Amino acid sequence: MIVRLHQTASTMKDAAALAHEGKPHGTAVIADIQTAGIGRHGHAWHSDDLGGLYISIILRLEIAPTLTLALGLAVQRALNDLAQVSTDLRWPNDVMLNERKVAGILVQAAEGALIAGIGLNVNQSAFPPDLAEIATSLKIETGSEHPKDALADRIIAESLRYVALTKQEILSRFERNSTWPKGKAVEVDGHIRGTTAGLDENGFLLVRTPEKLETIIAGGVRTL
Ligand code: BTN
């Protein structure tokens, strides 16, 4: 079931309410505008532009770090096929287009389920000054508008397909489809500096520093 809303506070909250009612795995909520979009690390997610696509999906699965990697792969697959763009996946879960973020992913536990939130920048023509350097949209990069409904349907279908893969399949696909896990000079949360050295068996990022091999469980990883 897909619930399509024009405006809401956050589709994460709507999906959590549906999970509370007992709605099954795969139930999704889509909105054109969010008045209180939630991003990672307590940040807001810019959601007041009709050009954005805001999706939340109920997942009745065990929490695993590979889930967010699987969702990134799903968004990448949908964008490659429907918008013919080539995206990179910045570990753990940012979808990048020409070095700027085109989609963000957030997984939260709520009401005995997991809620996968996906924010995709589709038809925005511009971003506020604080985001302009780091965010982009399909329209900005391709020069044309893209149908949001078709993208939403495909992203939901691919998400359900990718989260059902084994951990090993998710890890190997992520390592193939992202430039981030191996050989990239990075800084993590402004303090750890080193070169990426693969993913461990849980999907955590290994970073070789001059002192040791660090396992990065979460955090903002940026190029040096
Ligand atoms: C990030 O910070 O990169 C993750 C952003 C996730 C935003 C999406 S938009 C749909 C869903 N509803 C929300 O309020 N947040 C997520």
Side-chain angles (χ1 to χ4, degrees):
M1 176 177 84
I2 301 180
V3 177
R4 293 174 196 270
L5 303 172
H6 174 58
Q7 179 172 320
T8 188
S10 163
T11 57
M12 299 296 282
K13 297 255 158 61
D14 300 317
L18 293 175
H20 179 74
E21 290 172 14
K23 292 288 188 292
H25 177 80
T27 303
V29 183
I30 304 170
D32 287 318
I33 294 180
Q34 298 183 127
T35 52
I38 305 163
R40 292 169 63 216
H41 308 304
H43 294 137
W45 182 256
H46 175 64
S47 303
D48 58 1
D49 192 311
L50 263 176
L53 175 59
Y54 313 103
I55 304 173
S56 292
I57 310 169
I58 297 175
L59 301 178
R60 297 207 177 268
L61 298 170
E62 291 293 311
I63 182 91
T66 43
L67 272 185
T68 49
L69 306 184
L71 293 164
L73 287 163
V75 174
Q76 183 183 55
R77 159 67 43 211
L79 295 187
N80 286 0
D81 288 356
L82 292 188
Q84 279 88 45
V85 291
S86 174
T87 53
D88 197 3
L89 298 173
R90 182 170 64 192
W91 185 91
N93 51 13
D94 290 336
V95 184
M96 308 298 289
L97 184 50
N98 297 334
E99 312 285 329
R100 292 196 165 101
K101 184 159 160 173
V102 71
I105 293 161
L106 172 70
V107 178
Q108 289 186 332
E111 306 292 347
L114 296 176
I115 311 297
I118 301 168
L120 175 66
N121 301 326
V122 184
N123 292 325
Q124 291 98 329
S125 301
F127 287 91
D130 56 323
L131 294 177
E133 285 300 308
I134 54 172
T136 194
S137 71
L138 294 178
K139 182 178 176 185
I140 290 170
E141 299 299 327
T142 66
S144 57
E145 300 228 337
H146 295 263
K148 291 202 300 178
D149 277 353
L151 281 164
D153 291 349
R154 185 66 185 274
I155 287 171
I156 293 165
E158 294 293 349
S159 295
L160 296 173
R161 202 162 72 80
Y162 275 88
V163 297
L165 295 177
T166 65
K167 201 158 93 167
Q168 199 42 55
E169 281 172 318
I170 294 168
L171 293 178
S172 59
R173 285 176 197 231
F174 194 90
E175 290 196 315
R176 273 206 307 278
N177 289 326
S178 166
T179 66
W180 285 74
K182 283 216 181 94
K184 199 179 272 290
V186 295
E187 184 176 75
V188 185
D189 288 340
H191 56 98
I192 296 171
R193 288 174 169 215
T195 305
T196 59
L199 301 176
D200 76 0
E201 69 281 4
N202 295 309
F204 297 138
L205 185 66
L206 301 172
V207 175
R208 186 165 299 286
T209 71
E211 295 80 33
K212 60 179 189 150
L213 190 62
E214 299 267 3
T215 302
I216 311 301
I217 290 167
V221 181
R222 299 292 177 268
T223 45
L224 269 178

